[in-house]
Amino acid sequence: MQVAEGGLSHMSGFVVFRKILRSDGIPGVFRGFGTSAVGALPGRILALTSLEISKEMAFKYSEHFDMSEASRIAVANGVAGLVSSTFSSSYSVPLDVVCQRLMVQGLPGMQTYRGPFDVINKVVRSEGLRGLYRGFGITLLTQSPASALWWSSYGGAQHAIWRSLGYGNGTQKKPSHTELVAVQATAGTIAGACSSIITTPIDTIKTRLQVMDNYGSGRPSVMKTTRLLLREDGWRGLYRGFGPRFLNMSLWGTSMIVTYELIKRLSVKPEQ
C-alpha cells in the first residue's frame, strides 16, 4: 500500500489482503517471510544485547553526576536507545531493503526476484553496496525517537494500569503471573498504537526510498521521495498503509514485550 500507484494505495488493508490471497494465495501474504524471520534473529540479538549493556554502563557512569535517580534512568535509557539503534540499523537496513523488495515484486514498475540472494546481486550490481543501505540516514535519525516513544508509552501505560489495579508504590502484595502477562500485553499494544501514529509517515517515506527506482536521473533521496509521494497523493499519502501498520505495531509490541519480559524473569537467579 505504501509503494503502489493508483487504486491499490487507496484500498483498505482488508481489501488489499483479499486481493493478494486471490492472486497469489497464502504464499503471497508471506513473501519475504523466510528472509525476515531468519535474518531478524541476529539483528534482534544485536539490538537487545547492545541496549542492555549500554544501559547498564550509562547508569553506572551517571553515578558521578549530581542527578536524581529518575534523571539517571532517563539518561541511561536514552544513551542505550541511541547505541542500540546505531548498531541494529547497520544490520537491519540491508535486511529491510531485501525483504521489502521481495514483498513488492509483481507490482507495476517493480522488478521480480528469484530469492533474497538474487535481490542482493541485482542491487549491488546496479548501485554497489550503498544500494543495500538506501534509507540508512533516515532510519538512523528516526529510529531512536521512535524507540524512545515506544518505550516511554509502554512504561507510562504499564504504570497507569498497575495503579488502576491497586498496585501503588506502597502496596506489599505482588501481582500474579497472569496479571503480569496481561498488563504487559495491554501496555505493549498501547505503545505500538501510539508509535504507529507518529512513525507511519516516516516509515512510508523510508519504504518507498528503499524499493522504488522511478526517480529519473540521480540517486534517490529523502526529498525526492517525499516530493513524489506528495505529488501523487497529497499529505494523506504519508499515511498510506496506516491500518495494517497500526495492527502490525500493536501485535508486534505485545508479542515482543511479553516474550522479552518473560525471558528476563526466567533468567533471574532465585535468591538464596
Side-chain angles (χ1 to χ4, degrees), residues 32-206:
F33 173 76
T35 304
S36 178
V38 175
L41 182 59
R44 184 57 56 189
I45 292 172
L46 180 64
L48 292 177
T49 301
S50 59
L51 177 78
E52 295 291 348
I53 292 175
S54 56
K55 186 193 300 182
E56 184 178 352
M57 290 175 65
F59 190 72
K60 285 183 178 179
Y61 185 73
S62 65
E63 292 176 353
H64 304 295
F65 299 95
D66 185 18
M67 301 167 65
S68 66
E69 185 174 2
S71 298
R72 287 174 57 209
I73 291 173
V75 170
N77 276 280
V79 172
L82 178 63
V83 172
S84 174
S85 175
T86 303
F87 273 97
S88 60
S89 293
S90 63
Y91 175 87
S92 63
V93 170
L95 181 66
D96 272 350
V97 171
V98 173
C99 291
Q100 287 165 359
R101 284 177 177 261
L102 289 173
M103 289 176 191
V104 302
Q105 62 179 328
L107 290 175
M110 299 297 168
Q111 290 192 56
T112 55
Y113 304 96
R114 294 190 299 274
F117 293 107
D118 188 39
V119 177
I120 295 171
N121 183 44
K122 287 181 177 177
V123 171
V124 171
R125 205 163 52 207
S126 62
E127 297 183 56
L129 282 176
R130 70 177 186 173
L132 293 173
Y133 279 89
R134 273 195 192 183
F136 180 76
I138 192 172
T139 300
L140 198 60
L141 289 172
T142 57
Q143 197 74 14
S144 295
S147 179
L149 175 64
W150 196 97
W151 286 103
S152 62
S153 301
Y154 172 72
Q158 190 173 206
H159 179 73
I161 295 170
W162 283 128
R163 288 184 68 85
S164 68
L165 293 175
Y167 291 97
N169 293 333
T171 306
Q172 297 297 321
K173 63 176 182 176
K174 293 185 177 181
S176 66
H177 180 73
T178 303
E179 285 179 315
L180 277 171
V181 172
V183 169
Q184 288 163 358
T186 304
T189 302
I190 295 171
C194 292
S195 182
S196 65
I197 293 172
I198 303 299
T199 60
T200 293
I202 297 168
D203 186 69
T204 301
I205 294 169
K206 179 179 73 71

Side-chain angles (χ1 to χ4, degrees), residues 217-228:
S217 61
R219 180 173 165 76
S221 68
V222 173
M223 290 305 298
K224 284 183 181 179
T225 305
T226 306
R227 281 198 298 264
L228 181 62

Side-chain angles (χ1 to χ4, degrees), residues 2-56:
Q2 289 177 330
V3 302
E5 298 178 359
L8 189 64
S9 61
H10 300 135
M11 295 178 183
S12 69
F14 185 68
V15 172
V16 173
F17 180 75
R18 285 193 306 177
K19 189 177 179 68
I20 294 172
L21 282 180
R22 272 202 309 269
S23 61
D24 295 326
I26 295 296
V29 182
F30 284 91
R31 279 183 186 171
F33 173 76
T35 304
S36 178
V38 175
L41 182 59
R44 184 57 56 189
I45 292 172
L46 180 64
L48 292 177
T49 301
S50 59
L51 177 78
E52 295 291 348
I53 292 175
S54 56
K55 186 193 300 182
E56 184 178 352

